[in-house]
Amino acid sequence: MTVLVTGGAGYIGTHVVRLLRAAGRDVVVVDDLSSGRAERVAGTELVRLDVAGPGAVRALGDVVRRRGVSAVVHLAARKRVDESVAQPLRYYRENIEGFAAVLAACTEHGVRSVVFSSSAAVYGDVAGGLVGEDAPTRPVNPYGRSKLVGEWLLRDVAATGSLRGTALRYFNVAGAGWPDLGDPAVTNLVTLVLDAVRHGRAPRVLGTDFPTPDGSGVRDYVHVLDLARAHVAALDGLAGAGTDAGAALVPPFRALNVGTGVGTSVLAVIRGLSAAMGVPVVPELVDRRPGDPAEVVADPRAIEAALGWRAVEPLDATLASAWAAWQHAHGGEGTGA
Ligand code: WQD
C-alpha cells in the first residue's frame, strides 16, 4: 500500500522518500514547493498542494483514494524559530491547520497510520542533561508551540480509534544522505558555518559563557539519514499494529525523541567542519542569542526500545556529508579560502 509524504520535496522529506522507494514502497508526495524542490523527488508522483490552503482536505482525500494510501508521513510545515516569532499566525495556520487538514483526510478515508514531524523545540528551555519524553513540554516560541499542538491533534484523533500516530521529536538535524539532498536553508548552525566560510567571513559563536565544557552551546546533532530511517521504523511500527498481536503492543499515540544521546558544542562542530573542508576556520565569539538554552541533548532510549532504532552515523560523517552536499550545490567552489 502507498505512503503519502507531505513536505516530501523538502530537505528531510526527500530523504524519507528516497529510503522508502529504495525499500520498494509505493510513495506519493504532496508539497507546495514553497521551499521543496521537485527535481529531488524525480520518479515519484508529486502533487503540488498547500495542505493549509482552501480545498486541501478534499484534494488530499482524492490523492488518498486514488493511490490507495495506507499511511501518511506529515512533514509539511514551516520550521524557522525566528520567523515564527515574527509571524506567529502564519505558523499556527500553516503548521496546525495544515496538519488538521491532513488528519481530516486520513480519518475520512481510512488511513490508519500517521507519523508526525515534531521537534525538540516542544521542550523549550531544558535544565540540561539528557532530555526524556517525560520532560515538561514548555515551548518558548510559536514554532515549538505549533509542534506541540500538532502532537495534541494527533493524540486526540488517535484516541478516537480511527488511526494510530507517532510523533518524532527531532533534535538538531544535519548532513545529507546523498550529495544532491543537502539542506538548502541557511538557518541552522552547520549551513550557517558553511555559508560564512564560503563568503570568507568568520562564523559566529553565539555565546561562550554557557555552563558547558568549552562555554559554547551544546546540541544533539543527528544525521538526516538516521532521522529518515527513524521515519521508516515508525511506519513499520505502526503497520505492525495492524495485526491483533501488534495492536496490543502499539499505543494509539506516542512521542519519541530522535537524537544520538551525545552532545556536541558549537566550537566542536566548527572544528569538525574545518577538518572536513580542510581549511582553518576562526570563529567570531559573540554574545548569546536570547532564549538559547545551554544544552539540549536527547535521551534516545525510548525510540530504541519502541522501534529498535538508534543513530548510527558518527558526527564526522554527518559534517563531511554536509560539506560534500554544499560543494555539490555550489559547484565545488565551497570555500572563500
Ligand atoms: C544550534 C547551536 C546556537 C547559529 C533548532 C530549531 C529547530 C529544531 C531544533 C527541528 C545553538 C548555536 C547557531 C550560529 C551559533 N529542529 N549557533 N552560531 O537553536 O538548537 O534549534 O534545532 O525542529 O531547527 O529549534 O538550532 O542550529 O539555530 O543552533 O553559535 O550562527 O548553534 O546558539 O547553540 P537550535 P541552531
Side-chain angles (χ1 to χ4, degrees), residues 12 79-81 117-121 141 143 147 169-173 187-190 192-193 203-207 210 216-221 264-267 270 286 288-289 292-294 296:
I12 296 167
K79 65 168 188 171
R80 288 189 49 174
V81 170
S117 163
S118 187
S119 166
N141 53 61
Y143 166 71
K147 286 299 183 179
R169 292 174 176 172
Y170 302 173
F171 281 67
N172 291 63
V173 190
T187 52
N188 291 111
L189 177 65
V190 169
L192 282 165
V193 172
R204 300 188 311 153
V205 177
L206 301 176
F210 290 104
S216 65
V218 171
R219 295 292 185 274
D220 186 332
Y221 296 92
T264 304
S265 75
V266 174
L267 288 168
I270 292 174
V286 301
R288 296 183 183 189
R289 188 168 55 179
D292 257 353
V296 186

Side-chain angles (χ1 to χ4, degrees), residues 235-280:
L235 283 169
D236 292 343
L238 289 168
T243 64
D244 292 342
L249 297 174
V250 180
F253 171 81
R254 59 188 168 191
L256 298 170
N257 289 340
V258 187
T260 68
V262 176
T264 304
S265 75
V266 174
L267 288 168
V269 167
I270 292 174
R271 282 196 303 275
L273 285 168
S274 172
M277 292 187 281
V279 294

Side-chain angles (χ1 to χ4, degrees), residues 13-307:
T14 50
H15 283 88
V16 174
V17 170
R18 216 165 269 191
L19 284 187
L20 288 171
R21 295 297 308 275
R25 303 287 298 268
D26 282 330
V27 179
V28 57
V29 169
V30 163
D31 200 298
D32 67 0
L33 298 182
S34 59
S35 58
R37 298 182 180 173
E39 65 273 15
R40 293 187 171 196
V41 288
T44 300
E45 181 185 4
L46 166 62
V47 176
R48 185 166 187 174
L49 174 66
D50 173 3
V51 296
V57 177
R58 174 184 295 274
L60 285 162
D62 291 346
V63 175
V64 169
R65 242 190 349 270
R66 176 171 56 81
R67 290 293 306 269
V69 170
S70 63
V72 168
V73 179
H74 179 63
L75 298 159
R78 304 203 63 78
K79 65 168 188 171
R80 288 189 49 174
V81 170
D82 57 348
E83 186 183 58
S84 79
V85 174
Q87 304 177 49
L89 290 177
R90 182 182 185 187
Y91 270 68
Y92 292 134
R93 185 179 71 79
E94 294 193 28
N95 290 7
I96 297 171
E97 292 181 25
F99 189 27
V102 169
L103 289 172
C106 288
T107 52
E108 282 176 25
H109 300 282
V111 175
R112 301 283 301 165
S113 299
V114 174
V115 177
F116 172 59
S117 163
S118 187
S119 166
V122 302
Y123 295 116
D125 291 338
V126 293
L130 297 187
V131 183
E133 287 82 355
D134 56 351
T137 47
R138 299 192 191 109
V140 294
N141 53 61
Y143 166 71
R145 286 190 274 272
S146 75
K147 286 299 183 179
L148 184 58
V149 173
E151 292 190 11
W152 294 347
L153 288 177
L154 182 54
R155 183 185 59 193
D156 290 345
V157 170
T160 69
S162 62
L163 54 78
R164 278 186 164 79
T166 300
L168 297 178
R169 292 174 176 172
Y170 302 173
F171 281 67
N172 291 63
V173 190
W178 291 266
D180 63 321
L181 297 188
D183 184 358
V186 183
T187 52
N188 291 111
L189 177 65
V190 169
T191 48
L192 282 165
V193 172
L194 292 171
D195 186 62
V197 172
R198 175 178 176 230
H199 291 97
R201 296 194 313 267
R204 300 188 311 153
V205 177
L206 301 176
T208 53
D209 59 345
F210 290 104
T212 61
D214 66 11
S216 65
V218 171
R219 295 292 185 274
D220 186 332
Y221 296 92
V222 56
H223 197 302
V224 63
L225 200 51
D226 273 331
L227 178 70
R229 290 168 181 145
H231 289 74
V232 178
L235 283 169
D236 292 343
L238 289 168
T243 64
D244 292 342
L249 297 174
V250 180
F253 171 81
R254 59 188 168 191
L256 298 170
N257 289 340
V258 187
T260 68
V262 176
T264 304
S265 75
V266 174
L267 288 168
V269 167
I270 292 174
R271 282 196 303 275
L273 285 168
S274 172
M277 292 187 281
V279 294
V281 178
V282 180
E284 179 188 0
L285 310 183
V286 301
D287 291 339
R288 296 183 183 189
R289 188 168 55 179
D292 257 353
E295 183 175 341
V296 186
V297 178
D299 179 341
R301 287 175 295 179
I303 190 171
E304 182 165 10
L307 303 178

